[in-house]
Amino acid sequence: MAKPDPYMSCRLLIVDDNQPTRLLLREMLKSEGLTGVREASGGAEALRLLETYPFDVVLADMEMPDMSGLDLLRKVRRDGVALNRAIPFVFVTAHANPALVGKARELGVTGYVLKPITIGQVRAKLDLALRQGRALHDSKAKPKPGPEDEAWDL
């Protein structure tokens, strides 16, 4: 019997203030067979969902008006406001500011998807995030940058 694909059963939270971007990501993921997708239109809504549901991965816009993706990541990692403070994060951004990339790496971000978004980019980053999430769950460790982080699309 084949093992279930962790990608297909992934519980993913999309956080983006731009509704068309959320729709694009949701439809891309749906076309790949991923059905456990929820959405938040900003950081405050995402925090409420993260306190309630056991997500496997967060796919978040880095720049949002109410709370940046970096602030959301900081609250999850340092303040422990989510059910899983070690949940893998993947940022979606139109540009990668080196200073922000450094801060995000210090907080344990898994990677980035650069716009324009393709399903290949999203799938690769989610696969990486799910592997990281399983390793963290197995070791109960705090996320730290590792050799796989060197392959970020920046």
Side-chain angles (χ1 to χ4, degrees), residues 58-63 69-70 73 89-115 117-118 120-126 128-129 148-149 151-154:
V58 174
L59 187 61
D61 186 9
M62 198 158 180
E63 297 177 42
L70 192 59
L73 177 59
F89 263 71
V90 176
F91 282 135
V92 178
T93 185
H95 51 290
N97 175 316
L100 293 178
V101 168
K103 289 178 184 178
R105 288 186 75 176
E106 288 173 14
L107 291 169
V109 73
T110 303
Y112 288 83
V113 174
L114 295 175
K115 295 176 184 178
I117 303 165
T118 67
Q121 284 181 312
V122 172
R123 176 75 192 240
K125 296 305 176 179
L126 289 181
L128 171 62
E148 291 178 322
D149 294 327
W152 288 4
D153 295 333
L154 298 178

Coordinates of all heavy atoms in Angstrom, one line a residue, residues 58-63 69-70 73 89-115 117-118 120-126 128-129 148-149 151-154:
V58 N 2.3 27.9 6.8 CA 1.8 29.2 6.5 C 2.5 29.7 5.3 O 3.7 29.7 5.2 CB 2.0 30.2 7.7 CG1 1.5 31.6 7.4 CG2 1.3 29.6 9.0
L59 N 1.6 30.2 4.3 CA 2.1 30.8 3.1 C 1.6 32.3 3.2 O 0.4 32.6 3.1 CB 1.5 30.1 1.9 CG 2.0 30.5 0.5 CD1 3.5 30.2 0.4 CD2 1.2 29.7 -0.5
A60 N 2.6 33.2 3.6 CA 2.2 34.6 3.9 C 2.8 35.6 3.1 O 4.0 35.5 2.8 CB 2.5 34.8 5.4
D61 N 2.0 36.7 2.7 CA 2.6 37.8 2.1 C 3.5 38.5 3.1 O 3.2 38.6 4.2 CB 1.4 38.8 1.7 CG 1.9 40.0 0.9 OD1 3.0 40.0 0.4 OD2 1.0 40.9 0.7
M62 N 4.6 39.0 2.6 CA 5.6 39.7 3.4 C 5.2 41.1 3.8 O 5.5 41.6 4.9 CB 7.0 39.7 2.8 CG 8.0 39.9 3.8 SD 9.6 39.3 3.1 CE 10.6 39.7 4.5
E63 N 4.4 41.7 2.9 CA 4.0 43.1 3.1 C 2.5 43.2 3.2 O 1.8 43.1 2.2 CB 4.6 44.0 2.0 CG 6.1 44.0 2.0 CD 6.6 44.8 0.9 OE1 6.1 45.9 0.6 OE2 7.6 44.4 0.2
G69 N 4.2 40.2 7.2 CA 4.4 38.8 7.4 C 5.6 38.5 8.4 O 5.5 37.6 9.1
L70 N 6.5 39.4 8.4 CA 7.6 39.3 9.3 C 7.1 39.5 10.8 O 7.5 38.7 11.7 CB 8.7 40.3 9.0 CG 10.1 40.2 9.7 CD1 10.7 38.8 9.4 CD2 11.0 41.3 9.3
L73 N 5.3 36.3 11.7 CA 6.3 35.3 12.0 C 6.9 35.5 13.4 O 7.0 34.5 14.2 CB 7.4 35.2 10.9 CG 8.5 34.2 11.1 CD1 8.0 32.8 11.2 CD2 9.5 34.4 10.0
F89 N 7.0 28.6 7.8 CA 6.5 29.8 7.1 C 7.2 29.9 5.7 O 8.4 29.7 5.7 CB 6.9 31.0 7.9 CG 5.8 31.5 8.8 CD1 5.4 30.9 9.9 CD2 5.1 32.7 8.4 CE1 4.5 31.4 10.7 CE2 4.1 33.2 9.3 CZ 3.8 32.5 10.4
V90 N 6.4 30.2 4.7 CA 7.0 30.5 3.4 C 6.4 31.9 3.1 O 5.2 32.1 3.1 CB 6.5 29.5 2.3 CG1 7.0 29.9 0.9 CG2 7.1 28.1 2.7
F91 N 7.3 32.8 2.7 CA 6.8 34.2 2.4 C 6.6 34.3 0.9 O 7.4 33.7 0.1 CB 7.8 35.3 2.8 CG 7.8 35.6 4.3 CD1 9.0 35.7 5.0 CD2 6.6 35.8 4.9 CE1 8.9 36.0 6.4 CE2 6.5 36.1 6.3 CZ 7.7 36.2 7.0
V92 N 5.6 35.1 0.5 CA 5.3 35.4 -0.9 C 5.6 36.9 -1.0 O 5.1 37.7 -0.2 CB 3.8 35.2 -1.2 CG1 3.6 35.6 -2.7 CG2 3.5 33.7 -1.0
T93 N 6.5 37.3 -1.9 CA 6.9 38.7 -2.0 C 7.2 39.0 -3.5 O 7.6 38.2 -4.3 CB 8.0 39.0 -1.1 OG1 8.3 40.4 -1.1 CG2 9.3 38.2 -1.5
A94 N 7.1 40.3 -3.8 CA 7.4 40.8 -5.1 C 8.9 41.1 -5.2 O 9.5 41.2 -6.3 CB 6.6 42.0 -5.5
H95 N 9.5 41.4 -4.1 CA 10.9 41.7 -4.0 C 11.5 41.2 -2.7 O 10.8 41.3 -1.7 CB 11.2 43.2 -4.2 CG 10.3 44.0 -3.3 ND1 9.0 44.2 -3.5 CD2 10.7 44.8 -2.2 CE1 8.5 45.0 -2.5 NE2 9.5 45.4 -1.8
A96 N 12.8 40.8 -2.7 CA 13.4 40.3 -1.5 C 14.4 41.3 -1.0 O 15.5 41.5 -1.6 CB 14.1 39.0 -1.8
N97 N 14.1 42.1 0.0 CA 15.0 43.0 0.7 C 16.0 42.3 1.5 O 15.6 41.5 2.4 CB 14.1 44.0 1.5 CG 14.9 45.0 2.3 OD1 15.9 44.6 2.9 ND2 14.4 46.2 2.4
P98 N 17.3 42.4 1.2 CA 18.3 41.6 2.0 C 18.2 41.8 3.5 O 18.4 40.8 4.2 CB 19.6 42.1 1.4 CG 19.3 42.7 0.1 CD 17.9 43.2 0.2
A99 N 17.9 43.0 4.0 CA 17.8 43.2 5.4 C 16.6 42.4 6.0 O 16.7 41.8 7.1 CB 17.6 44.7 5.8
L100 N 15.5 42.4 5.3 CA 14.3 41.7 5.8 C 14.5 40.2 5.7 O 14.1 39.4 6.5 CB 13.0 42.1 5.0 CG 12.6 43.5 5.2 CD1 11.3 43.8 4.3 CD2 12.3 43.8 6.7
V101 N 15.2 39.8 4.6 CA 15.5 38.3 4.4 C 16.4 37.9 5.6 O 16.1 36.8 6.2 CB 16.3 38.1 3.1 CG1 16.9 36.7 3.1 CG2 15.4 38.3 1.9
G102 N 17.3 38.7 6.1 CA 18.2 38.3 7.2 C 17.3 38.2 8.5 O 17.5 37.3 9.3
K103 N 16.4 39.1 8.7 CA 15.6 39.1 9.9 C 14.7 37.9 9.9 O 14.5 37.2 10.9 CB 14.7 40.4 10.0 CG 15.5 41.6 10.4 CD 14.6 42.8 10.4 CE 15.5 44.0 10.7 NZ 14.7 45.3 10.7
A104 N 14.1 37.6 8.7 CA 13.2 36.4 8.5 C 14.0 35.1 8.8 O 13.5 34.2 9.5 CB 12.6 36.4 7.2
R105 N 15.2 35.0 8.3 CA 16.0 33.8 8.5 C 16.3 33.7 10.0 O 16.3 32.5 10.5 CB 17.3 33.9 7.7 CG 17.0 33.7 6.2 CD 18.3 33.6 5.4 NE 18.9 32.3 5.7 CZ 20.0 31.9 5.0 NH1 20.6 32.7 4.2 NH2 20.4 30.7 5.3
E106 N 16.6 34.8 10.7 CA 16.9 34.7 12.2 C 15.7 34.1 12.9 O 15.8 33.4 13.9 CB 17.2 36.1 12.7 CG 18.6 36.6 12.3 CD 18.8 38.0 12.8 OE1 18.0 38.5 13.6 OE2 19.7 38.7 12.3
L107 N 14.5 34.4 12.4 CA 13.2 33.9 13.0 C 12.9 32.5 12.6 O 11.9 31.9 13.1 CB 12.1 34.9 12.7 CG 12.2 36.2 13.4 CD1 11.2 37.2 12.9 CD2 12.0 36.1 14.9
G108 N 13.6 32.0 11.6 CA 13.3 30.6 11.2 C 12.4 30.4 10.0 O 11.7 29.4 9.9
V109 N 12.3 31.4 9.1 CA 11.5 31.3 7.9 C 12.0 30.1 7.1 O 13.2 29.9 7.0 CB 11.4 32.6 7.1 CG1 12.7 32.9 6.4 CG2 10.3 32.6 6.1
T110 N 11.1 29.4 6.4 CA 11.5 28.3 5.6 C 12.0 28.7 4.2 O 13.0 28.2 3.7 CB 10.3 27.3 5.4 OG1 9.9 26.9 6.7 CG2 10.7 26.1 4.6
G111 N 11.4 29.7 3.6 CA 11.8 30.2 2.3 C 10.8 31.2 1.7 O 10.0 31.7 2.4
Y112 N 11.1 31.5 0.5 CA 10.3 32.6 -0.2 C 9.8 32.0 -1.6 O 10.5 31.2 -2.2 CB 11.2 33.8 -0.6 CG 11.6 34.6 0.6 CD1 12.7 34.2 1.4 CD2 10.9 35.7 0.9 CE1 13.0 34.9 2.5 CE2 11.3 36.5 2.0 CZ 12.3 36.1 2.8 OH 12.7 36.8 3.9
V113 N 8.7 32.6 -2.0 CA 8.2 32.4 -3.3 C 8.1 33.8 -3.9 O 7.5 34.7 -3.3 CB 6.8 31.8 -3.3 CG1 6.2 31.8 -4.8 CG2 6.8 30.4 -2.8
L114 N 8.8 34.0 -5.0 CA 8.9 35.4 -5.6 C 7.8 35.5 -6.7 O 7.5 34.6 -7.4 CB 10.2 35.6 -6.2 CG 11.4 35.7 -5.2 CD1 12.7 35.9 -5.9 CD2 11.2 36.9 -4.2
K115 N 7.1 36.7 -6.7 CA 6.1 37.0 -7.7 C 6.9 37.3 -9.0 O 7.9 37.9 -8.9 CB 5.3 38.1 -7.3 CG 4.4 37.8 -6.1 CD 3.6 39.0 -5.6 CE 2.9 38.7 -4.3 NZ 2.1 39.9 -3.8
I117 N 4.1 34.4 -9.3 CA 4.0 33.1 -8.6 C 3.8 32.0 -9.7 O 2.9 32.1 -10.6 CB 2.8 33.0 -7.6 CG1 3.0 34.1 -6.6 CG2 2.7 31.7 -7.0 CD1 1.8 34.4 -5.8
T118 N 4.5 30.9 -9.6 CA 4.2 29.7 -10.4 C 3.9 28.5 -9.5 O 4.4 28.5 -8.3 CB 5.4 29.3 -11.3 OG1 6.5 28.9 -10.5 CG2 5.8 30.5 -12.2
G120 N 5.1 25.6 -9.7 CA 6.4 24.9 -9.5 C 7.1 25.5 -8.3 O 7.6 24.8 -7.4
Q121 N 7.2 26.8 -8.2 CA 7.8 27.5 -7.0 C 7.0 27.1 -5.7 O 7.6 26.8 -4.7 CB 7.7 29.0 -7.2 CG 8.7 29.7 -8.1 CD 8.4 31.2 -8.0 OE1 7.3 31.7 -8.1 NE2 9.5 31.9 -7.9
V122 N 5.7 27.2 -5.8 CA 4.9 27.0 -4.6 C 5.1 25.5 -4.2 O 5.3 25.3 -3.0 CB 3.4 27.3 -4.8 CG1 2.6 26.9 -3.7 CG2 3.3 28.8 -5.1
R123 N 5.0 24.6 -5.1 CA 5.1 23.2 -4.7 C 6.5 22.9 -4.1 O 6.6 22.2 -3.1 CB 4.9 22.3 -6.0 CG 5.1 20.8 -5.8 CD 3.9 20.2 -5.1 NE 4.2 18.9 -4.6 CZ 3.5 17.8 -5.0 NH1 2.5 17.9 -5.8 NH2 3.7 16.6 -4.5
A124 N 7.6 23.4 -4.7 CA 8.9 23.2 -4.2 C 9.1 23.7 -2.8 O 9.6 23.1 -1.9 CB 10.0 23.8 -5.1
K125 N 8.6 24.9 -2.5 CA 8.7 25.5 -1.2 C 7.8 24.8 -0.2 O 8.2 24.6 1.0 CB 8.3 27.0 -1.2 CG 9.3 27.8 -2.0 CD 10.8 27.6 -1.6 CE 11.7 28.4 -2.5 NZ 13.1 28.2 -2.1
L126 N 6.6 24.4 -0.6 CA 5.7 23.6 0.3 C 6.3 22.3 0.7 O 6.3 21.8 1.8 CB 4.3 23.5 -0.2 CG 3.5 24.8 -0.3 CD1 2.1 24.5 -0.8 CD2 3.4 25.4 1.1
L128 N 9.5 21.6 0.8 CA 10.6 21.9 1.8 C 10.0 22.2 3.1 O 10.5 21.7 4.2 CB 11.4 23.1 1.3 CG 12.4 23.7 2.2 CD1 13.5 22.7 2.6 CD2 13.0 25.0 1.7
A129 N 8.9 23.0 3.2 CA 8.3 23.3 4.5 C 7.7 22.1 5.2 O 7.9 22.0 6.4 CB 7.2 24.4 4.2
E148 N 19.5 23.5 3.5 CA 18.5 23.6 2.4 C 18.1 25.1 2.2 O 17.7 25.5 1.2 CB 17.3 22.8 2.8 CG 17.5 21.3 2.8 CD 16.3 20.6 3.2 OE1 15.6 21.0 4.1 OE2 16.0 19.5 2.6
D149 N 18.3 25.9 3.2 CA 18.0 27.3 3.1 C 18.9 28.1 2.1 O 18.5 29.1 1.6 CB 18.1 28.1 4.5 CG 17.1 27.6 5.5 OD1 16.0 27.2 5.0 OD2 17.4 27.5 6.7
A151 N 19.3 27.3 -0.8 CA 18.7 27.2 -2.1 C 17.5 28.1 -2.3 O 16.8 27.9 -3.3 CB 18.3 25.7 -2.4
W152 N 17.4 29.1 -1.5 CA 16.2 30.0 -1.6 C 16.3 30.7 -3.0 O 17.3 31.0 -3.5 CB 16.3 31.0 -0.5 CG 15.9 30.5 0.8 CD1 15.7 29.2 1.2 CD2 15.8 31.3 2.0 NE1 15.4 29.1 2.5 CE2 15.4 30.4 3.0 CE3 15.9 32.6 2.3 CZ2 15.2 30.8 4.3 CZ3 15.7 33.0 3.6 CH2 15.3 32.1 4.6
D153 N 15.1 31.0 -3.5 CA 15.0 31.7 -4.8 C 15.0 33.2 -4.5 O 14.0 33.9 -4.5 CB 13.7 31.4 -5.5 CG 13.6 29.9 -5.9 OD1 14.7 29.4 -6.1 OD2 12.5 29.4 -5.9
L154 N 16.2 33.8 -4.2 CA 16.3 35.2 -3.9 C 17.2 35.9 -4.9 O 18.1 35.3 -5.4 CB 16.9 35.4 -2.5 CG 16.0 34.9 -1.4 CD1 16.7 35.1 0.0 CD2 14.7 35.5 -1.3

